[in-house]
Amino acid sequence: MMVANGYVLVIDDDVARATELADTISAAGYRTTVFTDVAAAFDFLSADSDIDVILCELDLESVSWGDARKALKELDLQIPAIVLSDTADVDKMMTALRLGASDFFVRPIEDWDALRKSIGRCVRQRVLRRELQEYRQRLELANIELRGTVKVLEQDQQAGRQVQLRMLPTSPMVLGEYVFSHTVIPSLYLSGDFTDYFTVGDRYVAFFMADVSGHGSSSAFTTVLLKNLFARKRSDYLRHNDDTILSPVAMLKHANNELLELAVGKHATMVVGLLDTADNTLRYSVAGHLPQPVLVSREGCRYLRGEGSAVGIMADVGYEEHLIDLPDSFMMALFSDGILEILPPRNLIEKEKYFLKVFEESAESPEDIVTRLGLNRVETAPDDIAALFISKRN
């Protein structure tokens, strides 16, 4: 059985002429349908018609080609049309072409091959138009599905954000003369920046600041792992006399091993500290974190220096542990590196100088720092921003 090359609709109010044309087109491999009643032909057509090309007589008795083409447009039919006429009237030809005819032929048709080629071009045009329409429909369906998926993802991320917020410690936490507080501004629903602080026994407060690489769910899940690690080690200290939680270096090594074992390509810069409230001393370690902690007291402002690789990059890594006596009255601030993104200077050295200057000029309270840095006006940041403040007033 021969497969038709396309579907041709012949419209001509002359029955014999229409039949002859249809037979010739059919012989060329096209499926054909003939209408001698123009109104019936329009009733036959629809927006989803499988007609590929219309062969229409220009000199119809009941309707002009202009009226026919207008009717086709009103039906929103994107079907190419070839016009035929018994006279080679230039004005009629130009009018037909201007009104949207794809081609024009004069009877008697001497070059049937040219007509077949013209029909072939129209069929290809129609096929391409159908494919484009199908593609648009598939694209629209894909967009609808995508919007639904995005909505579900946003709902999941919003729920995840609520869980992550509940993981954060109480702010402020007051322990005698010491006050702990925090601020977290995520660039997305879920943040890769996290901070935590908690008492260990009667005299210690352990804390950390973590800045996990990347954004979104995987980075947020990594912060859950880190919080869980510190919670486990706190429990081990209270239940099993395991003093790992009292060593910032030991905690960084554990964090490094857990991120490597997780094997999801995540690493984190961290600052881990242990405040001894009995001796007013601080033991801390830095794992590739910038900006480094800032200590503010009557003696001025300074960075608490420390070196070490970020956790989760390599297995054999060493960290420094520092022990300092704290002033009787002080404020210490730890920020994730997202804060550097919103500071005015362009290079890192100038940003660090500017950052320290902010503390020198307005370090009466964490609220002053937050206001001076503009964090109280930031709704969405280019990067996650987390801040931890530890203050002592006597």
Side-chain angles (χ1 to χ4, degrees):
M1 180 179 177
M2 182 179 68
V3 178
N5 295 325
Y7 190 6
V8 180
L9 175 66
V10 178
I11 302 176
D12 192 342
D13 50 12
D14 186 315
V15 177
R17 192 170 56 188
T19 303
E20 180 185 1
L21 179 60
D23 290 343
T24 303
I25 300 303
S26 297
Y30 293 95
R31 175 187 170 198
T32 61
T33 292
V34 176
F35 276 94
T36 56
D37 185 320
V38 177
F42 289 162
D43 290 339
F44 172 76
L45 292 168
S46 62
D48 58 350
S49 174
D50 56 353
I51 296 292
D52 293 308
V53 58
I54 298 173
L55 294 185
C56 186
E57 174 62 36
L58 176 65
D59 303 310
L60 296 168
E61 291 184 2
S62 58
V63 62
S64 69
W65 164 248
D67 292 336
R69 197 57 185 164
K70 181 180 178 182
L72 291 174
K73 287 184 177 180
E74 289 175 352
L75 287 171
D76 194 25
L77 298 178
Q78 302 296 320
I79 304 175
I82 297 173
V83 175
L84 299 99
S85 177
D86 289 332
T87 59
D89 188 307
V90 175
D91 290 337
K92 288 184 177 181
M93 291 171 59
M94 296 304 298
T95 299
L97 294 173
R98 189 177 68 252
L99 290 174
S102 297
D103 211 339
F104 191 101
F105 286 85
V106 178
R107 292 191 181 91
I109 297 174
E110 297 179 356
D111 191 348
W112 285 97
D113 187 55
L115 177 58
R116 286 191 290 269
K117 287 181 178 178
S118 181
I119 293 172
R121 287 194 297 271
C122 290
V123 170
R124 288 192 294 274
Q125 177 186 342
R126 181 65 168 162
V127 169
L128 289 174
R129 189 167 288 163
R130 282 200 194 98
E131 291 176 349
L132 179 60
Q133 181 62 28
E134 290 173 0
Y135 171 76
R136 287 174 175 169
Q137 290 173 349
R138 291 197 301 269
L139 183 61
E140 181 60 29
L141 287 175
N143 285 336
I144 291 172
E145 292 178 359
L146 180 59
R147 287 193 290 269
T149 301
V150 169
K151 184 176 181 180
V152 171
L153 180 59
E154 288 179 347
Q155 290 173 343
D156 287 347
Q157 292 228 5
Q158 288 172 344
R161 179 61 181 150
Q162 293 303 312
V163 172
Q164 194 174 34
L165 288 173
R166 290 178 180 274
M167 288 168 46
L168 290 167
T170 301
S171 182
M173 181 180 80
V174 180
L175 296 173
E177 298 175 329
Y178 297 93
V179 179
F180 295 77
S181 61
H182 64 77
T183 297
V184 176
I185 302 172
S187 59
L188 300 172
Y189 286 117
L190 297 175
S191 175
D193 291 5
F194 194 78
T195 188
D196 199 7
Y197 43 80
F198 48 85
T199 58
V200 180
D202 296 330
R203 62 185 292 175
Y204 301 110
V205 180
F207 62 87
F208 71 88
M209 169 70 68
D211 187 343
V212 181
S213 58
H215 304 278
S217 300
S218 59
S219 297
F221 292 152
T222 305
T223 67
V224 175
L225 180 145
L226 293 173
K227 180 176 176 67
N228 180 262
L229 167 65
F230 278 78
R232 292 198 322 263
K233 291 305 175 184
R234 181 195 187 205
S235 178
D236 289 345
Y237 173 81
L238 298 175
R239 297 183 180 184
H240 309 295
N241 294 319
D242 179 348
D243 62 358
T244 302
I245 192 68
L246 303 182
S247 170
V249 165
M251 290 304 299
L252 284 177
K253 288 182 177 179
H254 276 287
N256 186 61
N257 292 336
E258 295 221 358
L259 262 62
L260 289 173
E261 290 174 3
L262 189 61
V264 293
K266 289 295 179 181
H267 64 273
T269 65
M270 295 185 70
V271 176
V272 180
L274 184 76
L275 177 67
D276 187 335
T277 60
D279 293 341
N280 195 37
T281 59
L282 173 67
R283 192 181 300 273
Y284 74 93
S285 292
V286 179
H289 194 85
L290 287 175
Q292 294 180 324
V294 176
L295 181 64
V296 183
S297 66
R298 296 187 182 92
E299 287 73 34
C301 303
R302 65 184 178 97
Y303 284 112
L304 298 182
R305 301 295 182 179
E307 296 183 359
S309 174
V311 298
I313 297 179
M314 64 186 78
D316 298 323
V317 60
Y319 300 101
E320 300 175 351
E321 190 164 279
H322 303 268
L323 177 63
I324 62 172
D325 293 321
L326 293 169
D328 291 337
S329 179
F330 70 87
M331 180 177 70
M332 182 166 57
L334 290 78
F335 279 82
S336 61
D337 67 359
I339 191 64
L340 300 175
E341 296 289 333
I342 66 172
L343 298 183
R346 294 187 176 182
N347 63 69
L348 180 59
I349 294 177
E350 293 303 316
K351 285 177 182 290
E352 289 186 324
K353 289 181 179 178
Y354 179 91
F355 189 57
L356 202 61
K357 185 178 180 181
V358 170
F359 284 90
E360 291 172 346
E361 294 178 350
S362 56
E364 292 298 321
S365 68
E367 292 75 19
D368 292 338
I369 297 299
V370 167
T371 301
R372 177 65 189 275
L373 292 172
L375 296 183
N376 58 331
R377 299 186 300 274
V378 174
E379 294 183 1
T380 57
D383 192 6
D384 301 332
I385 302 174
L388 165 61
F389 299 98
I390 304 173
S391 305
K392 181 175 184 289
R393 296 287 185 264
N394 55 16

